[in-house]
Amino acid sequence: MFLDARRRRLPKLFLLVIALALPLTACGQDLGRSNFGRTTVPAAAGGTGQQTDGPITDAAVAANALRVIKPCQFLTKDALGALGLGTVEEDPSPSSIAFDTCSNKVKDPGGKEIRFEVKVGSTLLPRADKTTGQVGGLPLRVDKSDDTDCLAAAMTALNPDLALAVTVAYPGEPCRPAQTLLEAAVQKVHNSPEKYSTPAGTLLTADPCAMADTATVTAAVPSAKSAPSGLHSCEWKSNGSDPTITVKFLPGLPPIVGGGYSKVDIGGGVTAYQKQPTTSSSRCVVEWQHRPWQGDDVELAQVDYSSYAAEASSDDPCGKAVTVAKNVVGKLPKP
């Protein structure tokens, strides 16, 4: 789950799915043996959080505030070093395909590696029954999938769920460093967090769920219902299932013709690139450059249509994706 190979031309099309359906043992007060001090995340009475359903009204963790927060600030040498978890040898590694994800690693005093990933606005989260208390006034969910992997999440929104999430891989007691880092991150979010610059027209501040008209999406996805799939991604599903339209904003290199991608005009003088993967399902991705980002990278907008129940030959996935893309491009903030 920590791999983030540099995408040289086109964004990855699939999110990594974290298997949380199996019965799991949540981390409680007894976190076992470790080589560093115990975290001080408080537990609510009875072992459940004081708030397990919405709304969360903390302005510091509202979606508009979180969209511009830099995720790597929580994983710098100074930030990790202050937690007393061990030795930090490297600078953090920002994701090359997401604005909101960063990773780094620490060697504990015994020489074992602790691998961290922070995601601001995660939707791949522990279930509500994994709520174990609060962190910084936010509901805390903790899920230990096995002896080496743990996911700790400070819920920033409920129904639909979003969170500031820390994933740890550690051949010790992974929930302890996960909760330790999460507590520090939540404190930082409430106390002058570092933010991206937001030049005119940036997609960083755009709400992807507001970037497509319901009528346009419904033509491709009947009875469409939208829900955020991250701070920079939104899904419309037909009756909560299939087919699906996803609107996503992400960093990446400018798209080009090749690898099955071809040019398509989406209006407003914008050239996009479309690809219909050669799979048994009906799917098409349309993406285009919006504005410069950092270095060689640009801000990309992407529309992804998929239906696993339909045949591509009769479904016209690219026709549907392009129609939505033409709607989205006209609603994006202007550079």
Side-chain angles (χ1 to χ4, degrees):
M1 71 184 72
F2 294 88
L3 295 179
D4 185 15
R6 175 65 180 171
R7 179 188 52 78
R8 296 312 307 162
R9 282 298 174 190
L10 299 167
K12 294 180 180 178
L13 304 180
F14 299 98
L15 292 173
L16 177 64
V17 177
I18 300 176
L20 300 175
L22 295 175
L24 301 170
T25 302
C27 297
Q29 290 299 306
D30 183 8
L31 296 179
R33 294 187 298 273
S34 184
N35 291 308
F36 47 84
R38 184 182 301 275
T39 182
T40 57
V41 178
T48 59
Q50 297 174 5
Q51 182 179 19
T52 57
D53 53 15
I56 293 173
T57 58
D58 184 345
V61 297
N64 288 341
L66 292 177
R67 282 193 185 98
V68 297
I69 287 182
K70 294 181 176 181
C72 287
Q73 65 185 291
F74 310 117
L75 295 169
T76 64
K77 291 181 180 179
D78 287 344
L80 287 175
L83 301 180
L85 303 178
T87 303
V88 189
E89 299 177 344
E90 300 178 5
D91 292 325
S93 300
S95 170
S96 63
I97 57 169
F99 296 120
D100 52 19
T101 305
C102 191
S103 60
N104 206 349
K105 55 189 177 181
V106 172
K107 281 191 177 180
D108 77 5
K112 293 182 291 186
E113 187 173 83
I114 312 171
R115 300 170 65 193
F116 293 96
E117 182 180 87
V118 171
K119 184 173 180 64
V120 183
S122 178
T123 57
L124 296 174
L125 300 168
R127 302 185 305 268
D129 62 6
K130 296 296 181 180
T131 305
T132 63
Q134 291 194 346
V135 54
L138 303 173
L140 169 67
R141 296 182 188 176
V142 180
D143 214 344
K144 183 182 179 185
S145 57
D146 54 39
D147 290 340
T148 62
D149 297 291
C150 185
L151 172 61
M155 303 305 298
T156 60
L158 299 170
N159 302 318
D161 292 349
L162 285 170
L164 173 60
V166 174
T167 305
V168 167
Y170 175 49
E173 175 44 74
C175 288
R176 186 176 294 173
Q179 290 183 240
T180 298
L181 177 58
L182 182 64
E183 183 179 20
V186 171
Q187 183 177 10
K188 181 66 174 176
V189 166
H190 285 100
N191 184 23
S192 301
E194 297 175 23
K195 299 179 180 180
Y196 289 117
S197 61
T198 53
T202 180
L203 294 179
L204 276 170
T205 57
D207 177 1
C209 289
M211 293 297 112
D213 293 327
T214 300
T216 302
V217 175
T218 299
V221 179
S223 304
K225 295 182 179 180
S226 66
S229 47
L231 292 171
H232 306 283
S233 180
C234 187
E235 290 182 342
W236 286 259
K237 292 187 177 183
S238 182
N239 294 315
S241 181
D242 185 87
T244 301
I245 283 281
T246 303
V247 173
K248 185 175 184 180
F249 308 138
L250 65 161
L253 293 175
I256 59 173
V257 172
Y261 278 79
S262 59
K263 292 183 179 181
V264 59
D265 183 0
I266 57 173
V270 178
T271 298
Y273 296 78
Q274 66 178 13
K275 180 178 182 180
Q276 180 176 326
T278 55
T279 64
S280 58
S281 62
S282 178
R283 188 170 191 180
C284 185
V285 177
V286 178
E287 70 170 7
W288 63 96
Q289 175 178 338
H290 182 68
R291 63 172 304 282
W293 171 235
Q294 298 175 353
D296 294 332
D297 283 353
V298 299
E299 294 181 10
L300 295 170
Q302 184 185 95
V303 174
D304 184 346
Y305 169 87
S306 64
S307 174
Y308 295 96
E311 293 291 337
S313 58
S314 59
D315 193 34
D316 188 20
C318 283
K320 293 178 178 179
V322 168
T323 296
V324 175
K326 289 180 177 179
N327 178 236
V328 170
V329 73
K331 297 173 73 67
L332 297 181
K334 305 301 181 186

